[in-house]
Amino acid sequence: MTTTIFVCVSCRRGSGGNDESFDRPGPALVQAIESRLRDDGVAVTAVDCLAVCKRPCTVALCAADKWTYLIGDIDPDSHADEIVAAALSFAASDNGIVPWRERPPSFRKGVIARVPPANHKEMQ
Amino acid sequence: MTTTIFVCVSCRRGSGGNDESFDRPGPALVQAIESRLRDDGVAVTAVDCLAVCKRPCTVALCAADKWTYLIGDIDPDSHADEIVAAALSFAASDNGIVPWRERPPSFRKGVIARVPPANHKEMQ
């Protein structure tokens, strides 16, 4: 079952003290992740806007029948290794919930939201 | 194809000027939505934590092969009608992307994030 890392390539990140100076770190993050992935059932897909504009870059870890995790504040230079490690832990998990001890710092600090799988049933 | 409104029932909402005074508005939102739904292919499911703790309540609009939308800052008394209307627009959409003119104010202001469907392909 493939795990997909969706990477927002629309996020603008302020690179100076004013609103006019920014970069778009998403494409570099896609490349950094792709260069680290082996043939391990994890894919990376660039996405035009995940709507988390205030915490660039944002990624989403997704797989069928698992919780989806959105993680923001990701820097291509600092966090690509961590995101790949998190995605491998996510891929190895039964339900998408990565144990806390396996979550790298950027994952622990950056969770934007999570969404249950479509087949999620209410606990009674 | 069923649309599901996942409602976080864990969110704490500050109800006074200190950290110790709060309520949990999620269960009331579930009830308010349920009371408004007809036999229209939309279901509501309570979820234990969508991890958007700072913007209670949070809901997620989900359906197979559609974008998922997470919306926060939802009040059970003020916004239940709007969330049901948004879910019906979402259900009627091809891909989960509700036209801006059909988005009620709480949807326009409250988007936390969106996630593409699993079969989403990168635009070339």
Side-chain angles (χ1 to χ4, degrees):
Chain A
M1 185 167 54
T2 301
T3 289
T4 300
I5 308 172
F6 288 116
V7 176
C8 181
V9 292
S10 307
C11 295
R12 290 183 177 192
R13 181 173 63 174
S15 56
N18 58 61
D19 288 344
E20 293 171 9
S21 180
F22 64 86
D23 64 355
R24 283 198 172 86
L29 182 58
V30 171
Q31 287 192 338
I33 291 173
E34 277 179 343
S35 71
R36 286 163 172 79
L37 289 176
R38 303 286 177 269
D39 181 20
D40 43 24
V42 177
V44 59
T45 300
V47 181
D48 185 17
C49 192
L50 293 173
V52 192
C53 310
K54 291 183 179 171
R55 295 179 66 181
C57 303
T58 300
V59 304
L61 304 180
C62 304
D65 300 333
K66 293 190 180 186
W67 287 76
T68 292
Y69 273 79
L70 283 139
I71 309 167
D73 302 324
I74 302 301
D75 178 73
D77 296 329
S78 310
H79 301 137
D81 284 333
E82 292 189 0
I83 292 303
V84 170
L88 293 175
S89 293
F90 179 90
S93 71
D94 289 336
N95 56 7
I97 299 177
V98 176
W100 188 258
R101 65 182 179 281
E102 292 180 27
R103 297 189 189 189
S106 55
F107 189 172
R108 292 185 181 186
K109 293 177 188 166
V111 171
I112 303 290
R114 64 177 199 164
V115 184
N119 61 2
H120 181 75
K121 296 299 174 199
E122 202 161 328
M123 288 190 299
Q124 300 300 322
Chain B
M1 185 166 56
T2 301
T3 289
T4 300
I5 309 171
F6 288 116
V7 177
C8 181
V9 292
S10 306
C11 294
R12 291 182 177 193
R13 181 174 62 175
S15 55
N18 59 62
D19 289 344
E20 294 171 5
S21 180
F22 63 86
D23 64 355
R24 282 198 173 85
L29 181 58
V30 172
Q31 287 192 337
I33 291 172
E34 277 180 341
S35 72
R36 287 162 172 80
L37 289 176
R38 302 287 177 269
D39 181 19
D40 43 23
V42 177
V44 58
T45 300
V47 181
D48 185 15
C49 193
L50 293 173
V52 192
C53 308
K54 290 182 180 171
R55 296 180 66 180
C57 302
T58 300
V59 305
L61 304 180
C62 303
D65 300 332
K66 293 190 180 185
W67 288 75
T68 292
Y69 273 80
L70 284 138
I71 309 166
D73 302 324
I74 302 301
D75 178 73
D77 295 329
S78 310
H79 302 138
D81 284 332
E82 292 188 0
I83 292 303
V84 169
L88 293 174
S89 292
F90 179 91
S93 71
D94 288 336
N95 57 7
I97 299 176
V98 175
W100 188 258
R101 65 182 179 280
E102 292 181 25
R103 297 187 188 190
S106 54
F107 188 172
R108 292 185 180 186
K109 294 178 189 167
V111 171
I112 303 290
R114 64 178 199 162
V115 184
N119 61 0
H120 182 75
K121 297 299 175 199
E122 202 162 327
M123 286 188 300
Q124 299 301 321

